[in-house]
Amino acid sequence: MKEKRYYPWLVVALLWVVALLNYMDRQMLSTMQEAMKADIAELNRAEAFGALMAVFLWIYGIVSPFAGIVADRVSRKWLVVGSLFVWSAVTFLMGYADNFNQLYWLRAFMGISEALYIPSALSLIADWHEGKSRSLAIGVHMTGLYVGQAVGGFGATLAAMLSWQSAFHWFGIVGIVYSVVLMLLLFENPKHAVETAISQHTSRKASVFQGLGVVLSTWAFWVILFYFAVPSLPGWATKNWLPTLFAENLNIPMSSAGPLSTITIAVSSFVGVLFGGWLSDRWVQRNLRGRVYTSAIGLGMTIPALLLLGMGHSLFAVVGAGLLFGVGYGMFDANNMPILCQFISAKYRATAYGIMNMTGVFAGAMVTQVLGKWTDGGNLGIGFALLGGVVALALILQLSTLHPTTDNKS
């Protein structure tokens, strides 16, 4: 099957479902908080619930670089299959939790298993899609994350229909079954498999951190890392604080602001990653900076969007800004790994993306806490507007320094 011309796109389709499950399983806890409070008393305290969310983010971030190092040295197929099986089993077991400590440790273990997925999956897709389809393939895969985030919101609906325990059980079972499907249909890229075998045979004594050294000694990677981390600030801000901002600026109840903000960002981001992937793949055929320019256009769109989100008080301004931000951020999101492929060898891409993933998560944790303090002071809108200025600095740095000489660093 892997010799078939359509197989690279089958890889994207297979991993799209995993991406959906990845975000769905991590998101559903937040939506089922109310249903779980009756059985687990500690969750009636916001501090305890915050600790559950935080432990996932911190462990996910810490593990991400090591996940990338491992992915560059072993079969990424089995890392994907294994991580899906483990986090799905953890989701299933959360349905049996009857106290806070059990939930806390299961959530921590989910952080480890989910961190193994993204570096492996994106580097696997990048290897199967060289040249004309790389950005579009990455973009299609990213839509799975957006859909998973939205589907996770229906956990509360299922919990109301059945129970929160049943919701965890069924979502976990789906993932476990799908891991078996991946065992049969997902294959490692032959080139990576050969390189891994040669590396293991000829350099058994080489440090597992050799790839880390190569990545960190590449100056362009530091620019890409900064360029990736800075937009993660508004990216996480919209995930965690946009419903609150909509409610405050439009003077509407959270029951209306939540769905309105979520749908606005989800739909526009979906459009953005597909358009950004399509444009980048065509532009790079004429100009090696085509991917950089596509990403820059998208990121540039987020700057006025953040200003409008922060200062706008009409439905047209706020929703319009949300749509503009989603499209722009999607264009940026679709091109991070393809740009990385222009500067980092295929042998070390998972390692590099693991570091980027860690930085993005930690940036998200920081901005969530800072904006929380600004919200208490009534200045959430100003915080969003100021993020636009920070993004502008990253955009200037990227355009002035990134000059790729190839679309696929060997």
Side-chain angles (χ1 to χ4, degrees):
M1 181 183 294
K2 60 184 176 181
E3 282 79 24
K4 300 291 185 181
R5 292 181 61 184
Y6 64 78
Y7 187 74
W9 284 108
L10 180 59
V11 170
V12 175
L14 290 169
L15 295 181
W16 187 91
V17 178
V18 187
L20 183 152
L21 294 171
N22 184 280
Y23 258 62
M24 182 185 73
D25 287 350
R26 76 171 71 171
Q27 196 73 19
M28 59 189 293
L29 175 65
S30 63
T31 66
M32 296 198 299
Q33 179 187 5
E34 290 298 322
M36 298 171 69
K37 285 180 178 179
D39 298 304
I40 301 178
E42 292 94 334
L43 293 182
N44 287 283
R45 293 187 296 114
E47 180 183 357
F49 182 74
L52 278 182
M53 306 305 287
V55 70
F56 174 89
L57 286 176
W58 285 112
I59 290 185
Y60 183 92
I62 291 170
V63 172
S64 288
F66 301 101
I69 292 171
V70 173
D72 281 329
R73 298 176 65 88
V74 302
S75 170
R76 293 165 298 188
K77 165 188 173 170
W78 292 110
L79 274 181
V80 170
V81 171
S83 62
L84 171 61
F85 179 86
V86 172
W87 90 59
S88 298
V90 167
T91 301
F92 179 81
L93 291 173
M94 288 179 76
Y96 289 108
D98 56 15
N99 62 66
F100 177 80
N101 284 336
Q102 290 175 353
L103 280 177
Y104 187 86
W105 288 107
L106 286 170
R107 188 74 173 169
F109 205 63
M110 178 178 281
I112 297 174
S113 55
E114 288 211 359
L116 292 169
Y117 174 67
I118 287 291
S120 301
L122 292 186
S123 62
L124 183 59
I125 292 172
D127 281 358
W128 276 109
H129 288 266
E130 295 184 355
K132 296 181 179 180
S133 61
R134 177 172 283 162
S135 283
L136 182 58
I138 296 290
V140 171
H141 173 266
M142 298 304 286
T143 65
L145 301 178
Y146 302 146
V147 174
Q149 189 172 357
V151 173
F154 289 93
T157 304
L158 187 58
M161 293 171 56
L162 302 173
S163 68
W164 63 267
Q165 292 94 338
S166 295
F168 279 125
H169 288 159
W170 281 111
F171 281 131
I173 289 171
V174 169
I176 291 171
V177 171
Y178 193 69
S179 68
V180 178
V181 174
L182 287 185
M183 288 174 60
L184 300 175
L185 298 180
L186 184 66
F187 295 98
E188 178 59 85
N189 182 272
K191 187 184 299 184
H192 179 84
V194 171
E195 289 177 350
T196 300
I198 293 174
S199 175
Q200 291 175 346
H201 178 72
T202 60
S203 57
R204 292 182 183 276
K205 296 182 180 180
S207 170
V208 295
F209 296 105
Q210 179 181 356
L212 192 62
V214 172
V215 169
L216 295 180
S217 64
T218 305
W219 70 267
F221 172 73
W222 289 99
V223 176
I224 296 170
L225 182 64
F226 180 76
Y227 178 73
F228 178 83
V230 169
S232 294
L233 297 172
W236 280 96
T238 55
K239 285 185 179 75
N240 296 327
W241 289 109
L242 197 60
T244 303
L245 186 69
F246 269 49
E248 290 184 357
N249 285 8
L250 298 178
N251 195 28
I252 58 177
M254 186 62 75
S255 58
S256 300
L260 180 62
S261 61
T262 302
I263 292 172
T264 297
I265 292 297
V267 172
S268 56
S269 297
F270 196 99
V271 172
V273 290
L274 295 180
F275 176 71
W278 173 85
L279 178 62
S280 175
D281 285 334
R282 277 148 186 78
W283 203 342
V284 79
Q285 303 302 315
R286 299 177 176 84
N287 187 328
L288 282 175
R289 298 193 79 193
R291 301 198 190 281
V292 175
Y293 291 146
T294 303
S295 181
I297 290 171
L299 202 58
M301 292 168 63
T302 69
I303 296 172
L306 287 166
L307 294 174
L308 270 175
L309 281 171
M311 301 302 179
H313 291 280
S314 70
L315 183 66
F316 177 80
V318 174
V319 173
L323 292 171
L324 184 65
F325 180 88
V327 172
Y329 197 84
M331 293 174 67
F332 159 81
D333 222 7
N335 282 287
N336 288 315
M337 175 57 89
I339 291 174
L340 187 68
C341 293
Q342 295 183 310
F343 296 94
I344 300 295
S345 167
K347 293 185 290 185
Y348 308 118
R349 285 172 192 161
T351 297
Y353 201 87
I355 298 171
M356 291 166 62
N357 211 26
M358 175 191 69
T359 307
V361 169
F362 286 168
M366 180 188 71
V367 77
T368 299
Q369 184 174 358
V370 171
L371 288 180
K373 294 179 180 179
W374 282 56
T375 301
D376 290 335
N379 296 313
L380 180 60
I382 296 176
F384 266 81
L386 289 176
L387 286 174
V390 179
V391 171
L393 292 176
L395 183 59
I396 293 170
L397 178 65
Q398 184 246 35
L399 284 174
S400 61
T401 58
L402 290 184
H403 297 272
T405 57
T406 177
D407 191 42
N408 193 50
K409 182 77 171 178
S410 59

